[in-house]
């Protein structure tokens, strides 16, 4: 769900609200940042990050396409089933602040360029609202390891949108970090 720069009006950089020029946080082989933008009256969460996985790029690529590994890597995943090649049905038990519940939806991989890049499109909803998003994953060789660069955007609605984008931004940061930590564990077994 790309947006042109003309549509994007920068809100605040949530990573460091007092100094908008702050760099992303670097923690244990990963960096992560998110911003909130206004697009046509809706707040859009812009998510970027870099993660290091201790495995060769092809092995990481294969893991990202394996529903069993995805189910083990996605925080709170209760089910991850491939319904057609490259499209997964996912059920996640999740808690973000006061919102707790089950969310179901789909994750679809598109623009596949094995083993270098892919685009993910995610749509989900639950009792706490809905989320729609997309993002690019770029995989690079790095001294026998793989660096994954994430660049994505997400829209939320319902109670999720009302609890505040900062809370969702922090939750997405935590979940992405946990996902890549879990993925690293799965590919190094």
């Amino acid at each position: 769900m790309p947006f042109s720069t003309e549509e994007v009006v920068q809100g605040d950089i949530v990573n460091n609200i007092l100094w908008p020029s702050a760099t992303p946080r670097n923690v244990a082989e990963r960096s992560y940042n998110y911003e909130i933008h206004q697009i046509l009256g809706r707040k859009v969460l812009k998510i970027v990050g870099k993660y290091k996985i201790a495995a060769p790029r092809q092995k990481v690529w294969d893991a990202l396409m394996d529903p069993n590994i995805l189910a083990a890597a996605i925080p709170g995943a209760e089910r991850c089933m491939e319904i057609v090649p490259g499209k997964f049905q996912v059920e996640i038990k999740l808690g973000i602040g006061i919102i707790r519940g089950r969310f179901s939806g789909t994750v679809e991989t598109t623009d596949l360029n094995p083993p270098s890049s892919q685009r993910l499109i995610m749509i989900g909803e639950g009792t706490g609202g809905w989320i729609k998003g997309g993002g690019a994953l770029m995989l690079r060789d790095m001294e026998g390891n793989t660096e994954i660069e994430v660049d994505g955007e997400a829209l939320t609605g319902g109670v999720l949108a009302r609890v505040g984008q900062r809370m969702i931004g922090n939750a997405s940061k935590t979940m992405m970090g946990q996902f890549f930590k879990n993925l690293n564990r799965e590919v190094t077994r």
Side-chain angles (χ1 to χ4, degrees):
M1 104 180 357
F3 300 101
S4 71
T5 54
E6 291 82 31
E7 293 175 303
V8 176
V9 177
Q10 184 171 350
D12 56 16
I13 297 177
V14 182
N15 190 41
N16 191 330
I17 200 120
L18 298 175
W19 295 281
S21 62
T23 59
R25 295 178 181 149
N26 291 304
V27 181
E29 303 297 335
R30 63 186 161 130
S31 65
Y32 182 92
N33 195 12
Y34 60 90
E35 300 175 4
I36 298 173
H37 300 280
Q38 286 284 119
I39 297 178
L40 304 175
R42 306 252 359 180
K43 290 184 178 180
V44 176
L45 184 63
K46 175 79 173 157
I47 303 166
V48 295
K50 289 184 181 181
Y51 300 88
K52 183 178 172 185
I53 305 294
R57 185 168 55 159
Q58 185 63 51
K59 188 172 183 179
V60 173
W61 176 271
D62 293 342
L64 288 169
M65 302 302 289
D66 184 328
N68 295 322
I69 291 177
L70 289 176
I74 296 170
E78 295 184 331
R79 184 172 72 113
C80 182
M81 181 177 71
E82 190 169 31
I83 49 180
V84 296
K87 188 171 186 177
F88 304 91
Q89 180 71 37
V90 181
E91 288 184 18
I92 300 173
K93 186 175 180 182
L94 182 60
I96 300 175
I98 60 170
I99 301 170
R100 305 229 178 261
R102 285 182 168 72
F103 291 80
S104 62
T106 59
V107 176
E108 184 174 4
T109 58
T110 63
D111 301 334
L112 301 177
N113 183 17
S116 300
S117 65
Q118 63 177 280
R119 181 156 182 75
L120 297 176
I121 300 169
M122 167 186 69
I123 300 171
E125 62 182 79
T127 54
W130 55 267
I131 187 165
K132 296 178 183 179
L137 297 179
M138 301 290 293
L139 286 74
R140 292 185 189 90
D141 288 320
M142 209 172 111
E143 301 172 3
N145 297 312
T146 303
E147 179 184 76
I148 300 177
E149 183 175 347
V150 178
D151 185 3
E153 299 165 330
L155 286 168
T156 60
V159 177
L160 276 175
R162 290 192 294 269
V163 300
Q165 294 293 318
R166 288 192 187 132
M167 185 179 293
I168 293 168
N170 286 330
S172 71
K173 174 182 154 183
T174 301
M175 287 183 69
M176 288 249 304
Q178 188 62 49
F179 171 80
F180 286 108
K181 180 180 176 184
N182 294 346
L183 180 65
N184 188 59
R185 180 193 66 226
E186 292 298 315
V187 298
T188 56
R189 282 187 175 194

